[in-house]
Coordinates of all heavy atoms in Angstrom, one line a residue:
M242 N 9.9 -3.2 -67.5 CA 11.1 -2.6 -68.2 C 11.1 -3.0 -69.7 O 11.0 -4.1 -70.1 CB 12.4 -3.2 -67.5 CG 13.6 -2.4 -68.0 SD 15.0 -3.0 -67.0 CE 16.4 -2.5 -68.2
E243 N 11.3 -1.9 -70.5 CA 11.4 -2.1 -71.9 C 12.7 -2.8 -72.4 O 13.7 -2.4 -72.0 CB 11.3 -0.7 -72.7 CG 11.1 -0.8 -74.2 CD 9.9 -1.3 -74.7 OE1 8.9 -1.3 -74.0 OE2 9.9 -1.7 -75.9
M244 N 12.5 -3.8 -73.2 CA 13.6 -4.6 -73.6 C 14.2 -3.9 -74.9 O 13.4 -3.6 -75.8 CB 13.2 -6.0 -73.9 CG 14.4 -7.0 -74.1 SD 13.9 -8.7 -74.6 CE 12.3 -8.9 -73.9
A245 N 15.5 -3.8 -75.0 CA 16.1 -3.2 -76.2 C 15.9 -4.2 -77.3 O 15.9 -5.4 -77.1 CB 17.6 -3.1 -75.9
P246 N 15.8 -3.6 -78.5 CA 15.7 -4.4 -79.8 C 17.0 -5.2 -80.0 O 18.0 -4.8 -79.6 CB 15.4 -3.5 -80.9 CG 16.0 -2.2 -80.4 CD 15.9 -2.2 -78.9
G247 N 16.8 -6.3 -80.7 CA 18.0 -7.1 -81.0 C 18.2 -8.4 -80.1 O 17.4 -8.7 -79.3
I248 N 19.5 -8.9 -80.2 CA 19.8 -10.0 -79.4 C 20.0 -9.6 -77.9 O 20.9 -8.6 -77.7 CB 21.1 -10.7 -80.1 CG1 20.8 -11.2 -81.4 CG2 21.6 -11.7 -79.0 CD1 22.0 -11.7 -82.1
P249 N 19.3 -10.2 -77.1 CA 19.5 -9.7 -75.7 C 20.8 -10.4 -75.0 O 21.0 -11.6 -75.2 CB 18.3 -10.3 -74.9 CG 17.8 -11.3 -75.8 CD 18.3 -11.1 -77.2
R250 N 21.7 -9.6 -74.5 CA 22.9 -10.1 -73.9 C 22.7 -10.4 -72.5 O 23.4 -11.3 -71.9 CB 24.0 -9.1 -74.1 CG 24.2 -8.5 -75.4 CD 24.7 -9.5 -76.4 NE 25.0 -8.8 -77.7 CZ 24.7 -9.4 -78.9 NH1 24.3 -10.6 -79.0 NH2 25.0 -8.7 -80.0
N251 N 21.9 -9.6 -71.8 CA 21.5 -9.8 -70.4 C 20.1 -9.8 -70.2 O 19.3 -9.1 -70.9 CB 22.3 -8.7 -69.5 CG 23.8 -8.7 -69.7 OD1 24.3 -8.3 -70.6 ND2 24.4 -9.3 -68.7
C252 N 19.7 -10.3 -69.0 CA 18.4 -10.1 -68.4 C 18.4 -8.8 -67.7 O 19.4 -8.3 -67.3 CB 18.0 -11.3 -67.6 SG 16.4 -11.1 -66.7
Q253 N 17.2 -8.2 -67.5 CA 17.2 -7.0 -66.7 C 17.7 -7.2 -65.2 O 17.9 -6.3 -64.6 CB 15.8 -6.4 -66.7 CG 14.7 -7.3 -66.1 CD 13.3 -6.7 -66.2 OE1 13.1 -5.6 -66.8 NE2 12.3 -7.4 -65.6
C254 N 17.7 -8.5 -64.8 CA 18.3 -8.8 -63.4 C 19.8 -8.7 -63.5 O 20.4 -8.8 -62.4 CB 17.7 -10.0 -62.9 SG 18.5 -11.5 -63.7
G255 N 20.4 -8.7 -64.7 CA 21.9 -8.6 -64.7 C 22.5 -9.9 -65.2 O 23.6 -9.9 -65.6
A256 N 21.8 -11.0 -65.0 CA 22.3 -12.2 -65.4 C 22.5 -12.3 -67.0 O 21.7 -11.7 -67.7 CB 21.3 -13.4 -65.0
L257 N 23.5 -13.1 -67.4 CA 23.6 -13.3 -68.8 C 22.5 -14.0 -69.4 O 21.8 -14.8 -68.7 CB 24.9 -14.1 -69.1 CG 26.3 -13.4 -68.8 CD1 27.4 -14.3 -69.0 CD2 26.4 -12.1 -69.7
S258 N 22.2 -13.8 -70.7 CA 21.1 -14.5 -71.4 C 21.7 -15.8 -71.9 O 22.8 -16.0 -72.1 CB 20.5 -13.7 -72.6 OG 21.6 -13.7 -73.6
I259 N 20.8 -16.8 -71.9 CA 21.2 -18.2 -72.5 C 20.1 -18.4 -73.6 O 19.0 -17.9 -73.6 CB 21.3 -19.2 -71.4 CG1 19.9 -19.4 -70.7 CG2 22.4 -19.0 -70.5 CD1 19.8 -20.6 -69.8
V260 N 20.4 -19.4 -74.4 CA 19.5 -20.0 -75.5 C 19.0 -21.4 -75.1 O 19.9 -22.2 -74.8 CB 20.1 -19.9 -76.8 CG1 19.1 -20.5 -77.8 CG2 20.5 -18.5 -77.2
L261 N 17.7 -21.5 -75.0 CA 17.2 -22.8 -74.7 C 16.2 -23.2 -75.9 O 15.9 -22.3 -76.7 CB 16.4 -22.8 -73.4 CG 17.2 -22.5 -72.1 CD1 16.3 -22.5 -70.9 CD2 18.4 -23.6 -71.9
T262 N 15.9 -24.4 -75.9 CA 14.9 -24.8 -76.9 C 13.7 -25.3 -76.3 O 13.6 -26.1 -75.4 CB 15.6 -26.0 -77.7 OG1 16.8 -25.6 -78.2 CG2 14.7 -26.5 -78.9
A263 N 12.6 -24.6 -76.8 CA 11.3 -25.1 -76.4 C 10.9 -26.5 -76.8 O 11.3 -26.9 -77.9 CB 10.2 -24.0 -76.9
N264 N 10.2 -27.2 -76.0 CA 9.8 -28.5 -76.4 C 8.3 -28.8 -76.1 O 7.9 -29.9 -75.7 CB 10.8 -29.5 -75.8 CG 10.8 -30.9 -76.5 OD1 10.3 -30.9 -77.6 ND2 11.2 -31.9 -75.8
T265 N 7.5 -27.8 -76.5 CA 6.1 -28.0 -76.3 C 5.5 -28.4 -77.6 O 6.1 -28.1 -78.7 CB 5.5 -26.6 -75.8 OG1 5.7 -25.7 -76.8 CG2 6.1 -26.2 -74.5
S266 N 4.2 -28.8 -77.6 CA 3.6 -29.2 -78.9 C 3.3 -27.9 -79.7 O 3.3 -27.9 -80.9 CB 2.2 -29.9 -78.5 OG 1.4 -29.1 -77.8
Q267 N 3.1 -26.8 -79.0 CA 2.8 -25.6 -79.7 C 4.2 -25.0 -80.3 O 4.1 -24.3 -81.4 CB 2.3 -24.5 -78.8 CG 1.5 -23.5 -79.5 CD 0.7 -22.6 -78.4 OE1 0.8 -22.7 -77.2 NE2 -0.1 -21.6 -78.9
N268 N 5.3 -25.2 -79.6 CA 6.6 -24.7 -80.1 C 7.7 -25.7 -80.1 O 8.6 -25.6 -79.4 CB 7.0 -23.4 -79.3 CG 6.1 -22.3 -79.4 OD1 5.9 -21.7 -80.5 ND2 5.4 -21.9 -78.3
P269 N 7.5 -26.7 -80.9 CA 8.5 -27.8 -80.9 C 9.9 -27.3 -81.4 O 10.0 -26.7 -82.5 CB 7.9 -28.9 -81.7 CG 7.0 -28.2 -82.6 CD 6.4 -27.0 -81.9
R270 N 10.9 -27.5 -80.6 CA 12.3 -27.2 -81.1 C 12.5 -25.8 -81.4 O 13.4 -25.5 -82.1 CB 12.8 -28.1 -82.2 CG 12.9 -29.6 -81.9 CD 13.2 -30.4 -83.0 NE 12.5 -30.4 -84.2 CZ 11.2 -31.0 -84.3 NH1 10.7 -31.8 -83.3 NH2 10.5 -30.9 -85.4
R271 N 11.7 -24.9 -80.8 CA 11.7 -23.5 -81.1 C 12.7 -22.9 -80.1 O 12.5 -23.0 -78.8 CB 10.4 -22.8 -81.1 CG 10.3 -21.4 -81.6 CD 8.9 -21.0 -81.7 NE 8.8 -19.6 -82.1 CZ 7.6 -18.9 -82.0 NH1 6.6 -19.5 -81.4 NH2 7.7 -17.7 -82.4
K272 N 13.8 -22.1 -80.5 CA 14.8 -21.6 -79.6 C 14.4 -20.3 -79.1 O 13.7 -19.4 -79.8 CB 16.2 -21.5 -80.4 CG 16.7 -22.8 -80.7 CD 18.1 -22.8 -81.3 CE 18.7 -24.0 -81.7 NZ 18.9 -25.0 -80.6
F273 N 14.8 -20.0 -77.9 CA 14.5 -18.7 -77.3 C 15.6 -18.3 -76.3 O 16.4 -19.0 -75.8 CB 13.1 -18.8 -76.5 CG 13.1 -19.8 -75.4 CD1 13.3 -19.4 -74.1 CD2 12.8 -21.1 -75.6 CE1 13.3 -20.4 -73.1 CE2 12.7 -22.1 -74.7 CZ 13.0 -21.7 -73.3
Y274 N 15.7 -17.0 -76.2 CA 16.6 -16.4 -75.2 C 15.9 -16.3 -73.9 O 14.7 -15.9 -73.9 CB 17.1 -14.9 -75.6 CG 18.1 -15.0 -76.8 CD1 17.5 -14.7 -78.0 CD2 19.4 -15.3 -76.6 CE1 18.4 -14.6 -79.1 CE2 20.2 -15.2 -77.7 CZ 19.8 -14.9 -79.0 OH 20.6 -14.8 -80.0
C275 N 16.6 -16.6 -72.8 CA 16.0 -16.5 -71.5 C 17.1 -16.0 -70.5 O 18.3 -16.2 -70.8 CB 15.2 -17.6 -71.0 SG 16.2 -19.1 -70.9
C276 N 16.6 -15.7 -69.4 CA 17.5 -15.3 -68.2 C 18.4 -16.5 -67.8 O 17.8 -17.6 -67.8 CB 16.7 -14.8 -67.0 SG 17.7 -14.5 -65.6
G277 N 19.7 -16.3 -67.7 CA 20.5 -17.5 -67.4 C 20.5 -17.9 -65.9 O 21.0 -18.8 -65.5
A278 N 19.7 -17.1 -65.1 CA 19.7 -17.3 -63.7 C 18.3 -17.8 -63.2 O 18.2 -18.8 -62.5 CB 20.1 -16.1 -62.9
I279 N 17.3 -17.1 -63.6 CA 16.0 -17.3 -63.1 C 15.0 -17.3 -64.3 O 15.1 -16.4 -65.2 CB 15.6 -16.3 -62.0 CG1 16.6 -16.3 -60.9 CG2 14.2 -16.5 -61.5 CD1 16.5 -15.1 -60.0
S280 N 14.0 -18.2 -64.3 CA 12.9 -18.1 -65.2 C 11.7 -17.5 -64.4 O 11.4 -18.0 -63.3 CB 12.6 -19.3 -65.9 OG 12.1 -20.3 -65.0
G281 N 11.0 -16.5 -65.0 CA 9.9 -16.0 -64.3 C 9.4 -14.8 -65.1 O 9.9 -14.3 -66.1
P282 N 8.3 -14.2 -64.6 CA 7.6 -13.1 -65.3 C 8.5 -11.8 -65.4 O 8.3 -11.0 -66.4 CB 6.3 -12.9 -64.5 CG 6.6 -13.4 -63.2 CD 7.6 -14.6 -63.4
N283 N 9.4 -11.6 -64.5 CA 10.2 -10.4 -64.6 C 11.6 -10.7 -65.1 O 12.5 -9.8 -65.0 CB 10.4 -9.8 -63.2 CG 9.0 -9.3 -62.7 OD1 8.2 -8.8 -63.5 ND2 8.8 -9.5 -61.4
H284 N 11.8 -11.8 -65.9 CA 13.0 -12.2 -66.4 C 13.0 -12.3 -67.9 O 11.8 -12.6 -68.5 CB 13.6 -13.4 -65.7 CG 13.9 -13.1 -64.3 ND1 15.1 -12.5 -63.9 CD2 13.1 -13.2 -63.2 CE1 15.1 -12.4 -62.6 NE2 13.9 -12.8 -62.1
L285 N 14.0 -12.3 -68.6 CA 14.1 -12.3 -70.1 C 13.5 -13.5 -70.7 O 13.6 -14.7 -70.2 CB 15.6 -12.3 -70.5 CG 15.9 -12.5 -72.0 CD1 15.4 -11.3 -72.7 CD2 17.4 -12.6 -72.2
F286 N 12.7 -13.3 -71.7 CA 12.2 -14.3 -72.6 C 12.0 -13.6 -74.0 O 11.3 -12.6 -74.1 CB 10.9 -14.9 -72.2 CG 10.4 -15.9 -73.1 CD1 10.7 -17.2 -73.1 CD2 9.6 -15.5 -74.3 CE1 10.4 -18.2 -74.0 CE2 9.2 -16.5 -75.2 CZ 9.6 -17.8 -75.0
K287 N 12.6 -14.2 -74.9 CA 12.4 -13.7 -76.3 C 12.8 -14.8 -77.3 O 13.8 -15.5 -77.2 CB 13.5 -12.5 -76.5 CG 13.2 -11.7 -77.7 CD 14.3 -10.6 -77.8 CE 13.8 -9.4 -78.4 NZ 14.8 -8.3 -78.4
W288 N 11.9 -15.0 -78.3 CA 12.2 -16.0 -79.4 C 13.4 -15.6 -80.1 O 13.6 -14.4 -80.5 CB 11.0 -16.1 -80.3 CG 9.8 -16.7 -79.6 CD1 8.6 -16.0 -79.3 CD2 9.5 -18.0 -79.1 NE1 7.7 -16.8 -78.7 CE2 8.3 -18.0 -78.6 CE3 10.4 -19.1 -79.0 CZ2 7.7 -19.2 -77.9 CZ3 9.9 -20.2 -78.3 CH2 8.6 -20.3 -77.8
V289 N 14.2 -16.5 -80.4 CA 15.5 -16.3 -81.2 C 15.2 -15.6 -82.5 O 15.9 -14.7 -82.9 CB 16.3 -17.6 -81.3 CG1 17.4 -17.4 -82.4 CG2 17.0 -17.9 -79.9
Y290 N 14.2 -16.1 -83.3 CA 14.0 -15.6 -84.6 C 13.6 -14.1 -84.5 O 14.0 -13.3 -85.4 CB 13.0 -16.4 -85.4 CG 11.5 -16.1 -85.2 CD1 10.8 -15.2 -86.0 CD2 10.8 -16.7 -84.1 CE1 9.6 -14.9 -85.8 CE2 9.5 -16.4 -84.0 CZ 8.9 -15.5 -84.8 OH 7.6 -15.1 -84.5
E291 N 12.8 -13.8 -83.5 CA 12.4 -12.3 -83.4 C 13.6 -11.5 -83.0 O 13.8 -10.4 -83.6 CB 11.3 -12.2 -82.3 CG 9.9 -12.8 -82.7 CD 9.0 -12.8 -81.5 OE1 9.3 -12.5 -80.4 OE2 7.8 -13.1 -81.8
A292 N 14.4 -12.0 -82.2 CA 15.7 -11.3 -81.8 C 16.6 -11.0 -83.0 O 17.1 -10.0 -83.1 CB 16.4 -12.0 -80.7
H293 N 16.7 -12.1 -83.8 CA 17.5 -11.9 -85.0 C 17.0 -11.1 -86.0 O 17.8 -10.3 -86.6 CB 17.8 -13.3 -85.5 CG 18.7 -14.2 -84.7 ND1 19.1 -15.4 -85.0 CD2 19.3 -13.9 -83.5 CE1 19.8 -16.0 -84.0 NE2 20.0 -15.0 -83.1
L294 N 15.7 -11.0 -86.2 CA 15.1 -10.1 -87.2 C 15.4 -8.6 -86.7 O 15.7 -7.8 -87.5 CB 13.6 -10.3 -87.2 CG 13.2 -11.5 -88.0 CD1 11.7 -11.7 -88.1 CD2 13.7 -11.4 -89.5
E295 N 15.2 -8.4 -85.3 CA 15.4 -7.1 -84.8 C 16.9 -6.7 -84.9 O 17.3 -5.6 -85.1 CB 15.1 -7.0 -83.3 CG 13.5 -7.2 -83.0 CD 13.2 -7.3 -81.6 OE1 14.2 -7.3 -80.7 OE2 12.1 -7.4 -81.2
E296 N 17.7 -7.7 -84.7 CA 19.2 -7.5 -84.8 C 19.7 -7.0 -86.2 O 20.5 -6.1 -86.3 CB 20.0 -8.7 -84.4 CG 21.5 -8.6 -84.2 CD 21.8 -7.8 -83.0 OE1 21.0 -7.7 -82.1 OE2 23.0 -7.4 -82.8
F297 N 18.9 -7.5 -87.2 CA 19.3 -7.0 -88.6 C 19.1 -5.5 -88.7 O 19.8 -4.8 -89.2 CB 18.4 -7.7 -89.7 CG 18.9 -9.1 -89.9 CD1 18.1 -10.2 -89.9 CD2 20.3 -9.4 -90.2 CE1 18.4 -11.5 -90.1 CE2 20.6 -10.8 -90.5 CZ 19.7 -11.8 -90.3
D298 N 18.0 -5.0 -88.1 CA 17.7 -3.6 -88.1 C 18.7 -2.8 -87.3 O 19.1 -1.7 -87.7 CB 16.2 -3.4 -87.6 CG 15.1 -3.8 -88.6 OD1 15.4 -4.0 -89.8 OD2 14.0 -4.1 -88.1
V299 N 19.0 -3.3 -86.2 CA 20.0 -2.7 -85.3 C 21.3 -2.5 -86.0 O 21.9 -1.5 -86.0 CB 20.2 -3.5 -84.0 CG1 21.3 -3.0 -83.2 CG2 18.9 -3.5 -83.1
L300 N 21.7 -3.6 -86.6 CA 23.0 -3.6 -87.4 C 23.0 -2.7 -88.6 O 24.0 -2.0 -88.9 CB 23.4 -5.0 -87.7 CG 23.8 -6.0 -86.6 CD1 24.0 -7.4 -87.1 CD2 24.9 -5.5 -85.9
A301 N 21.8 -2.7 -89.3 CA 21.7 -1.8 -90.4 C 21.8 -0.4 -90.0 O 22.4 0.4 -90.7 CB 20.3 -2.0 -91.2
S302 N 21.1 0.0 -88.8 CA 21.3 1.4 -88.4 C 22.7 1.7 -88.0 O 23.2 2.8 -88.3 CB 20.4 1.5 -87.1 OG 19.0 1.4 -87.5
K303 N 23.4 0.8 -87.3 CA 24.8 1.0 -86.9 C 25.7 1.2 -88.1 O 26.5 2.0 -88.2 CB 25.3 -0.2 -86.1 CG 24.7 -0.1 -84.7 CD 25.3 -1.3 -83.8 CE 24.8 -1.3 -82.4 NZ 25.3 -2.4 -81.6
Q304 N 25.4 0.3 -89.2 CA 26.2 0.4 -90.4 C 26.0 1.8 -91.1 O 26.9 2.4 -91.5 CB 25.8 -0.7 -91.4 CG 26.7 -0.7 -92.6 CD 26.2 -1.8 -93.6 OE1 25.2 -2.3 -93.6 NE2 27.1 -1.9 -94.6
E305 N 24.7 2.3 -91.1 CA 24.4 3.5 -91.7 C 25.1 4.7 -91.0 O 25.7 5.6 -91.6 CB 23.0 3.8 -91.7 CG 22.6 5.1 -92.4 CD 21.1 5.3 -92.5 OE1 20.3 4.3 -92.3 OE2 20.7 6.5 -92.7
A306 N 25.1 4.6 -89.6 CA 25.9 5.6 -88.8 C 27.4 5.6 -89.1 O 28.0 6.6 -89.3 CB 25.6 5.4 -87.4
M307 N 27.9 4.4 -89.2 CA 29.3 4.2 -89.4 C 29.7 4.8 -90.8 O 30.8 5.3 -91.0 CB 29.7 2.7 -89.3 CG 29.7 2.3 -87.8 SD 29.9 0.5 -87.7 CE 31.6 0.3 -88.3
M308 N 28.8 4.5 -91.8 CA 29.1 5.0 -93.2 C 29.1 6.5 -93.2 O 29.9 7.1 -93.9 CB 28.0 4.5 -94.1 CG 28.1 2.9 -94.4 SD 29.8 2.3 -94.9 CE 29.9 3.0 -96.6
N309 N 28.2 7.1 -92.5 CA 28.2 8.6 -92.3 C 29.4 9.1 -91.6 O 30.0 10.1 -92.1 CB 26.9 9.1 -91.5 CG 25.6 8.8 -92.3 OD1 25.6 8.7 -93.6 ND2 24.5 8.8 -91.6
D310 N 29.8 8.5 -90.6 CA 31.1 8.8 -89.9 C 32.2 8.6 -90.9 O 33.1 9.6 -90.9 CB 31.3 7.8 -88.6 CG 30.4 8.2 -87.5 OD1 29.7 9.2 -87.6 OD2 30.3 7.3 -86.6
L311 N 32.3 7.6 -91.7 CA 33.3 7.4 -92.6 C 33.4 8.6 -93.6 O 34.5 9.1 -93.9 CB 33.2 6.0 -93.3 CG 34.3 5.7 -94.3 CD1 35.6 5.7 -93.5 CD2 34.0 4.4 -94.9
T312 N 32.3 9.0 -94.1 CA 32.1 10.1 -95.1 C 32.7 11.3 -94.4 O 33.5 12.1 -95.0 CB 30.7 10.4 -95.5 OG1 30.2 9.1 -96.1 CG2 30.6 11.5 -96.4
E313 N 32.4 11.6 -93.2 CA 32.9 12.8 -92.5 C 34.4 12.7 -92.2 O 35.2 13.7 -92.5 CB 32.2 12.9 -91.1 CG 30.8 13.5 -91.2 CD 30.2 13.7 -89.8 OE1 30.9 13.9 -88.9 OE2 28.9 13.6 -89.7
I314 N 34.9 11.5 -92.0 CA 36.3 11.3 -91.7 C 37.1 11.6 -93.0 O 38.1 12.2 -93.0 CB 36.6 9.9 -91.1 CG1 36.1 9.8 -89.7 CG2 38.1 9.5 -91.2 CD1 36.1 8.4 -89.1
K315 N 36.6 11.0 -94.2 CA 37.2 11.2 -95.4 C 37.3 12.7 -95.7 O 38.3 13.2 -96.2 CB 36.5 10.5 -96.5 CG 36.6 9.0 -96.5 CD 35.8 8.3 -97.6 CE 36.1 6.8 -97.7 NZ 35.3 6.2 -98.7
Q316 N 36.3 13.4 -95.5 CA 36.3 14.8 -95.7 C 37.2 15.5 -94.8 O 38.0 16.4 -95.3 CB 34.8 15.5 -95.6 CG 34.9 16.9 -96.0 CD 35.2 17.2 -97.4 OE1 34.7 16.5 -98.3 NE2 36.2 18.1 -97.6
D317 N 37.4 15.2 -93.6 CA 38.3 15.7 -92.6 C 39.7 15.5 -93.2 O 40.6 16.4 -93.1 CB 38.2 15.1 -91.2 CG 36.9 15.5 -90.5 OD1 36.3 16.6 -90.9 OD2 36.6 14.9 -89.4
I318 N 40.0 14.3 -93.7 CA 41.3 14.0 -94.2 C 41.7 14.9 -95.4 O 42.8 15.5 -95.5 CB 41.4 12.5 -94.6 CG1 41.5 11.7 -93.4 CG2 42.6 12.3 -95.5 CD1 41.3 10.2 -93.7
V319 N 40.7 15.2 -96.3 CA 40.9 16.0 -97.4 C 41.2 17.5 -96.9 O 42.1 18.1 -97.4 CB 39.6 16.0 -98.3 CG1 39.7 17.2 -99.4 CG2 39.5 14.7 -99.0
D320 N 40.5 17.9 -96.0 CA 40.7 19.2 -95.3 C 42.1 19.4 -94.7 O 42.7 20.4 -94.9 CB 39.6 19.6 -94.3 CG 38.1 19.7 -94.9 OD1 38.1 19.9 -96.1 OD2 37.2 19.7 -94.1
L321 N 42.4 18.3 -93.9 CA 43.7 18.4 -93.3 C 44.8 18.4 -94.4 O 45.8 19.0 -94.2 CB 43.9 17.1 -92.3 CG 43.1 17.2 -91.1 CD1 43.2 15.9 -90.3 CD2 43.7 18.3 -90.2
K322 N 44.7 17.6 -95.4 CA 45.7 17.7 -96.5 C 45.8 19.0 -97.1 O 46.9 19.5 -97.4 CB 45.4 16.6 -97.6 CG 45.7 15.1 -97.2 CD 45.4 14.1 -98.3 CE 45.8 12.8 -97.9 NZ 45.4 11.8 -99.0
N323 N 44.6 19.7 -97.3 CA 44.6 21.0 -97.8 C 45.3 22.0 -96.9 O 46.1 22.8 -97.3 CB 43.3 21.4 -98.2 CG 42.7 20.8 -99.4 OD1 43.4 20.3 -100.3 ND2 41.4 20.7 -99.5
N324 N 45.1 21.8 -95.6 CA 45.7 22.7 -94.6 C 47.2 22.5 -94.6 O 48.0 23.5 -94.5 CB 45.1 22.4 -93.2 CG 43.7 22.9 -93.0 OD1 43.2 23.7 -93.8 ND2 43.1 22.4 -92.0
M325 N 47.6 21.3 -94.7 CA 49.1 20.9 -94.7 C 49.7 21.6 -95.9 O 50.9 22.2 -95.9 CB 49.3 19.4 -94.7 CG 49.0 18.8 -93.3 SD 49.2 17.1 -93.3 CE 51.0 16.8 -93.9
R326 N 49.0 21.5 -97.0 CA 49.6 22.0 -98.3 C 49.8 23.5 -98.2 O 50.8 24.2 -98.5 CB 48.7 21.7 -99.5 CG 49.2 22.1 -100.8 CD 48.3 21.7 -102.0 NE 46.9 21.8 -101.7 CZ 46.3 23.0 -101.7 NH1 46.9 24.2 -101.9 NH2 45.0 23.0 -101.5
E327 N 48.7 24.2 -97.6 CA 48.8 25.6 -97.3 C 49.9 26.1 -96.4 O 50.7 27.0 -96.6 CB 47.5 26.2 -96.9 CG 46.4 26.1 -97.9 CD 45.0 26.5 -97.4 OE1 45.0 27.2 -96.3 OE2 44.1 26.2 -98.1
I328 N 50.0 25.2 -95.4 CA 51.2 25.6 -94.4 C 52.5 25.4 -95.0 O 53.4 26.2 -94.8 CB 51.0 24.6 -93.1 CG1 49.7 25.0 -92.3 CG2 52.2 24.6 -92.2 CD1 49.3 24.0 -91.2
K329 N 52.7 24.4 -95.8 CA 53.9 24.1 -96.5 C 54.2 25.3 -97.4 O 55.4 25.7 -97.5 CB 53.9 22.8 -97.3 CG 54.0 21.6 -96.4 CD 54.0 20.3 -97.4 CE 54.1 19.1 -96.5 NZ 53.9 17.8 -97.3
E330 N 53.2 25.8 -98.1 CA 53.4 26.9 -99.1 C 53.8 28.2 -98.3 O 54.7 28.9 -98.7 CB 52.1 27.2 -99.8 CG 51.8 26.2 -100.9 CD 50.4 26.3 -101.5 OE1 49.7 27.3 -101.2 OE2 50.0 25.5 -102.3
V331 N 53.3 28.4 -97.1 CA 53.6 29.5 -96.3 C 55.1 29.4 -95.8 O 55.9 30.3 -95.8 CB 52.7 29.7 -95.1 CG1 53.2 30.7 -94.0 CG2 51.2 30.1 -95.6
I332 N 55.4 28.2 -95.3 CA 56.8 27.9 -94.9 C 57.8 28.2 -96.1 O 58.8 28.8 -95.8 CB 56.9 26.5 -94.3 CG1 56.2 26.3 -93.0 CG2 58.4 26.1 -94.2 CD1 56.1 24.9 -92.5
E333 N 57.4 27.7 -97.2 CA 58.4 27.9 -98.3 C 58.5 29.4 -98.7 O 59.6 29.9 -99.0 CB 57.9 27.2 -99.6 CG 58.0 25.7 -99.5 CD 59.4 25.2 -99.2 OE1 60.4 25.8 -99.9 OE2 59.6 24.4 -98.4
L334 N 57.4 30.1 -98.6 CA 57.4 31.6 -98.8 C 58.3 32.3 -97.8 O 59.0 33.1 -98.1 CB 55.9 32.1 -98.8 CG 55.7 33.5 -99.2 CD1 56.2 33.8 -100.6 CD2 54.3 34.0 -98.9
I335 N 58.2 31.9 -96.5 CA 59.0 32.5 -95.5 C 60.4 32.2 -95.8 O 61.3 33.1 -95.5 CB 58.5 32.0 -94.1 CG1 57.2 32.5 -93.7 CG2 59.6 32.3 -93.0 CD1 56.5 31.9 -92.5
K336 N 60.7 31.0 -96.2 CA 62.2 30.6 -96.4 C 62.8 31.4 -97.5 O 64.0 31.8 -97.4 CB 62.2 29.1 -96.8 CG 62.1 28.1 -95.7 CD 62.3 26.7 -96.2 CE 62.3 25.7 -95.2 NZ 62.3 24.3 -95.8
T337 N 62.0 31.9 -98.6 CA 62.5 32.6 -99.6 C 62.8 34.0 -99.2 O 63.6 34.7 -99.8 CB 61.5 32.7 -100.8 OG1 60.3 33.3 -100.3 CG2 61.3 31.3 -101.4
K338 N 62.2 34.5 -98.0 CA 62.4 35.9 -97.6 C 63.5 35.9 -96.5 O 63.8 37.1 -96.1 CB 61.0 36.4 -97.1 CG 60.0 36.6 -98.2 CD 58.8 37.3 -97.7 CE 57.9 37.5 -98.9 NZ 56.7 38.3 -98.7
L339 N 63.9 34.8 -96.0 CA 65.1 34.8 -95.1 C 66.4 35.1 -95.7 O 66.7 34.8 -96.8 CB 65.1 33.5 -94.2 CG 63.9 33.3 -93.4 CD1 64.0 31.9 -92.8 CD2 63.7 34.4 -92.3
Ligands
LIG228 ZN1 16.9 -12.6 -64.9

């Protein structure tokens, strides 16, 4: 199963992820995410620094999408204000003819 980029919240088995620290001569004090229930070939393992680097890209993409949404929302507000102004003008016009 393909692992999503970024910080893993869960293992594919559904268990929450936990952070442990490797203590091997090859990886002394190196932190990693792993399955909180079972360690094994079909369960989560990801180095923390790799997950965090990926998370920066994930967050940058989300931020860009949110900025685009914000731009659209701002334009929607401008459009709504213009619509309201036009409606008020029509109402005032109708009032003068009553
Ligand atoms: Zn698991």
Side-chain angles (χ1 to χ4, degrees):
M242 186 176 160
E243 184 72 18
M244 196 184 329
I248 295 172
R250 312 291 185 218
N251 295 82
C252 176
Q253 62 184 2
C254 75
L257 292 174
S258 66
I259 59 172
V260 175
L261 295 179
T262 304
N264 200 17
T265 62
S266 58
Q267 202 170 8
N268 294 299
R270 295 179 304 281
R271 194 171 174 197
K272 293 185 181 301
F273 59 95
Y274 289 98
C275 64
C276 177
I279 302 166
S280 67
N283 294 322
H284 294 272
L285 173 65
F286 177 90
K287 191 179 215 179
W288 294 114
V289 164
Y290 86 93
E291 290 174 350
H293 288 182
L294 287 175
E295 292 172 2
E296 189 72 12
F297 286 128
D298 289 337
V299 169
L300 292 175
S302 295
K303 286 182 180 176
Q304 182 184 17
E305 185 178 344
M307 289 170 62
M308 294 304 289
N309 290 337
D310 288 348
L311 183 60
T312 299
E313 287 181 25
I314 290 169
K315 285 179 175 177
Q316 185 58 52
D317 287 348
I318 290 171
V319 168
D320 293 345
L321 287 170
K322 283 182 175 176
N323 287 336
N324 289 346
M325 285 177 57
R326 185 179 39 76
E327 289 175 20
I328 290 169
K329 284 179 181 174
E330 288 171 4
V331 170
I332 289 172
E333 289 304 316
L334 187 65
I335 291 171
K336 280 182 180 175
T337 61
K338 296 189 175 184
L339 290 178

